């Protein structure tokens, strides 16, 4: 949700962002191993061409 919020602050339209959690379905961590669960946390982004008329880079794209 933090990545979604950053994208919105950077100018992305909230309705153009889809958030999907895979949680238990794709977990490879040993059951009840909290440290392993923490190492599995990750975010994957898929960017598709849109129809935005804006040519200015977003605030998010400008940060390092």
């Amino acid at each position: 949700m933090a990545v979604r919020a950053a994208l919105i602050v950077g100018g992305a339209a909230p309705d153009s962002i889809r958030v999907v959690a895979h949680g238990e379905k794709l977990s490879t961590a040993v059951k009840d191993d909290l440290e392993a669960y923490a190492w599995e946390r990750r975010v994957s982004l898929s960017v598709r061409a849109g129809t935005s008329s804006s040519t200015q880079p977003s605030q998010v794209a400008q940060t390092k």
Side-chain angles (χ1 to χ4, degrees), residues 1-8 17 43 45:
M1 295 311 291
V3 173
R4 180 182 188 279
L7 290 170
I8 292 168
I17 302 170
V43 174
L45 298 175

Side-chain angles (χ1 to χ4, degrees), residues 6-7 9-11 54-64:
L7 290 170
V9 166
S54 173
T55 58
Q56 303 244 343
S58 73
Q59 182 179 14
V60 173
Q62 294 175 7
T63 61
K64 292 183 181 180

Side-chain angles (χ1 to χ4, degrees), residues 3-44:
V3 173
R4 180 182 188 279
L7 290 170
I8 292 168
V9 166
D15 60 340
S16 69
I17 302 170
R18 185 176 74 167
V19 177
V20 179
H22 297 287
E24 294 178 17
K25 292 188 289 183
L26 298 177
S27 179
T28 59
V30 176
K31 184 175 169 91
D32 296 326
D33 183 343
L34 296 180
E35 186 174 348
Y37 291 153
W39 279 105
E40 277 197 326
R41 292 187 61 98
R42 63 190 172 277
V43 174
S44 297

